[in-house]
Amino acid sequence: MDKFILHEEPVSANCYKIRLTAALLGIPLQRRIYSILKGETRTAEFLETVSSFGRVPVLQIGDSTFLPESNAACFYLAEAAASTATAASASSSSSSSSPPQATTSLIPKDALQRAEMLRWMFFEQNQHEVNIATLRFWVHVIGGQNLDGSRRAQIVGKIAAGEQALDCMEDHLAKSHHGWFVGDTISLADICLFAYTHIAGDAGFDLSRWPSILKWCDQVKQVQGYIPMS
Amino acid sequence: MDKFILHEEPVSANCYKIRLTAALLGIPLQRRIYSILKGETRTAEFLETVSSFGRVPVLQIGDSTFLPESNAACFYLAEAAASTATAASASSSSSSSSPPQATTSLIPKDALQRAEMLRWMFFEQNQHEVNIATLRFWVHVIGGQNLDGSRRAQIVGKIAAGEQALDCMEDHLAKSHHGWFVGDTISLADICLFAYTHIAGDAGFDLSRWPSILKWCDQVKQVQGYIPMS
């Protein structure tokens, strides 16, 4: 498997998603830390070598491939682990050597479940992250007193939209037989939604209003290989 | 292959994405039309049978499976077409009958290209759709004079963020050897980004500022099987 380097900012749960995915899959990940507030993702060197968009996370694959977008990076790591496990299994069965170590598969094999996993990952980027993660960044990282008028004007709308996203998750989890978003085990849908949900309190959301979400958060934390955000 | 019904609103380019994907793949799609402005996606019947979230598009697969999120629905259709083509090809080679009809493959076979395709699809939902599609809905569908204060306060920020998303696309396409987002042919990344980009003029964006995007739009329209939005 290629060497992976995560270019990241520790306060970002988009970055944490990738570390959590790698940890559950047992994939080693080197880290390069940047401070967003200090502008370290906007330097000429970063823009030229890591990403011309000036954002993290970026997953570096080998020496010269750079993949932005957290959920795409999680997908790539999960496919890489699955493909390595398949190759190891084939090699093991032909050579009769010891069986490969168990690898958690984070992408369902069933096509419909795979699409349902992606459905929640797109929901996360379109209706959850843009509200809950943005609010958290504004009030928890930048600080409410430092916000300009344009951002202040958006707070009420983002709180309402964030609550609506949490309501959708609660509704789905309450009906889920196994307490996961798709099927009977953890998938990338859970990891990507967990990232900003479990710290939604930083953005002012009181998770005790959503009991199925709280239970699901505890379930994620019990998965073998789980690492906390910090 | 299952029977597909698209529950949709014709003014939504999120819905159009799915129709364009199905058209390029040669997949028949029945349509059920709803008016968002008349509240037809919020009726008790819709919430109970189609989606408790009260949104379109929803792709109905067979009689009882309902898949929300436009990009996930495109992914499901493209995987279904690829799997049908593989089965037809295997059956054809074993029976030596005539070869199957060509099916456009919209998901790259290479794992890195597949992740890069998803990278642009997540970008679309997180940085493009939330700005350009939302602005278009506000000024073109609802009408600028009908917006409340909270929405009006967000317009300047959404114009800036929409321009930034178009700059990212322009930068990438200008460097692309084949004029596509990933690899040397059209993929779901192009379809999903095309949907709201080619009508960004409705939201007030003058696409002549982004020449590589204009050229790419023309290239999409030349693909065999292309259908216009309306």
Side-chain angles (χ1 to χ4, degrees):
Chain A
M1 201 183 288
D2 279 304
K3 179 183 75 178
F4 295 110
I5 301 173
L6 180 62
H7 297 265
E8 69 152 327
E9 153 68 271
V11 303
S12 159
N14 279 326
C15 299
Y16 167 58
K17 281 175 196 170
I18 303 174
R19 290 196 288 117
L20 179 54
T21 298
L24 295 183
L25 294 167
I27 297 177
L29 206 59
Q30 290 180 39
R31 300 171 69 181
R32 295 275 186 285
I33 308 293
Y34 303 82
S35 163
I36 295 174
L37 289 185
K38 289 183 185 162
E40 291 175 357
T41 64
R42 304 273 173 178
T43 64
E45 190 191 350
F46 185 94
L47 297 174
E48 197 169 313
T49 60
V50 181
S51 170
S52 60
F53 300 166
R55 288 167 175 259
V56 286
V58 174
L59 180 66
Q60 181 179 340
I61 303 163
D63 289 331
S64 55
T65 301
F66 295 86
L67 182 64
E69 294 298 330
S70 55
N71 292 4
C74 292
F75 192 91
Y76 184 79
L77 289 177
E79 282 213 322
S83 135
T84 303
T86 305
S89 167
S91 147
S92 159
S93 67
S94 63
S95 67
S96 299
S97 63
S98 59
Q101 292 203 326
T103 303
T104 309
S105 172
L106 296 174
I107 301 177
K109 289 195 170 55
D110 175 74
L112 179 59
Q113 289 193 349
R114 205 156 45 241
E116 285 173 340
M117 177 193 82
L118 285 170
R119 166 247 176 132
W120 286 109
M121 291 166 76
F122 286 117
F123 164 90
E124 192 266 341
Q125 285 291 291
N126 188 258
Q127 291 162 62
H128 187 289
E129 200 265 3
V130 291
N131 296 304
I132 296 173
T134 301
L135 270 180
R136 174 178 173 271
F137 189 71
W138 289 353
V139 303
H140 184 72
V141 181
I142 296 180
Q145 71 284 3
N146 301 320
L147 298 180
D148 60 24
S150 160
R151 284 173 166 173
R152 281 183 202 210
Q154 295 177 53
I155 287 182
V156 172
K158 285 196 182 286
I159 291 173
E163 288 176 343
Q164 202 173 12
L166 293 168
D167 286 344
C168 286
M169 292 170 63
E170 177 72 19
D171 181 62
H172 184 75
L173 287 173
K175 294 174 190 159
S176 162
H177 291 302
H178 301 276
W180 299 113
F181 271 88
V182 179
D184 60 3
T185 187
I186 190 169
S187 74
L188 293 180
D190 300 285
I191 295 174
C192 294
L193 280 166
F194 176 79
Y196 279 107
T197 301
H198 85 296
I199 52 169
D202 290 351
F205 297 94
D206 175 4
L207 284 182
S208 66
R209 282 179 54 189
W210 294 279
S212 302
I213 291 181
L214 272 186
K215 195 174 157 195
W216 162 80
C217 284
D218 285 340
Q219 189 167 291
V220 172
K221 291 175 187 170
Q222 300 305 317
V223 173
Q224 193 179 355
Y226 172 81
I227 54 169
M229 184 161 157
S230 59
Chain B
M1 200 183 288
D2 279 305
K3 180 182 75 178
F4 295 109
I5 301 173
L6 181 62
H7 298 265
E8 69 152 327
E9 153 69 272
V11 302
S12 158
N14 279 326
C15 299
Y16 167 58
K17 281 175 198 172
I18 303 174
R19 291 196 288 116
L20 179 54
T21 299
L24 296 183
L25 294 167
I27 297 177
L29 207 59
Q30 290 181 40
R31 301 171 68 180
R32 297 275 185 286
I33 308 291
Y34 304 82
S35 163
I36 295 174
L37 290 184
K38 289 183 185 163
E40 292 174 358
T41 64
R42 306 273 174 177
T43 64
E45 190 192 351
F46 184 94
L47 297 175
E48 197 169 315
T49 60
V50 181
S51 170
S52 60
F53 300 165
R55 288 167 176 260
V56 285
V58 174
L59 180 67
Q60 181 179 340
I61 304 162
D63 289 331
S64 55
T65 300
F66 296 86
L67 182 64
E69 295 297 330
S70 55
N71 291 5
C74 293
F75 192 92
Y76 184 79
L77 289 176
E79 282 213 321
S83 134
T84 303
T86 305
S89 168
S91 148
S92 159
S93 66
S94 64
S95 66
S96 298
S97 64
S98 58
Q101 291 205 326
T103 303
T104 308
S105 172
L106 296 174
I107 300 178
K109 289 194 170 54
D110 174 74
L112 179 60
Q113 289 193 350
R114 203 154 50 239
E116 285 173 340
M117 177 193 81
L118 286 170
R119 166 248 175 128
W120 286 109
M121 292 165 76
F122 286 117
F123 164 89
E124 191 266 340
Q125 285 291 290
N126 187 259
Q127 291 163 63
H128 187 289
E129 200 264 4
V130 291
N131 295 304
I132 296 172
T134 302
L135 271 181
R136 173 178 173 271
F137 188 72
W138 290 354
V139 304
H140 184 72
V141 182
I142 296 180
Q145 71 285 5
N146 301 321
L147 298 180
D148 60 24
S150 160
R151 284 172 165 174
R152 281 183 202 208
Q154 295 177 54
I155 287 182
V156 173
K158 284 196 182 288
I159 290 172
E163 288 176 342
Q164 201 172 13
L166 294 168
D167 287 344
C168 285
M169 292 170 64
E170 176 71 19
D171 181 61
H172 184 75
L173 287 172
K175 294 173 190 159
S176 161
H177 290 303
H178 301 277
W180 299 111
F181 272 89
V182 179
D184 58 3
T185 187
I186 190 169
S187 73
L188 293 180
D190 300 286
I191 295 174
C192 294
L193 280 167
F194 176 79
Y196 279 107
T197 301
H198 86 296
I199 53 170
D202 290 350
F205 297 94
D206 175 4
L207 284 182
S208 66
R209 281 179 55 189
W210 295 279
S212 301
I213 291 181
L214 272 186
K215 195 173 157 195
W216 163 79
C217 284
D218 285 340
Q219 189 167 292
V220 172
K221 291 174 187 169
Q222 299 306 316
V223 174
Q224 194 180 354
Y226 172 81
I227 53 168
M229 185 162 157
S230 59

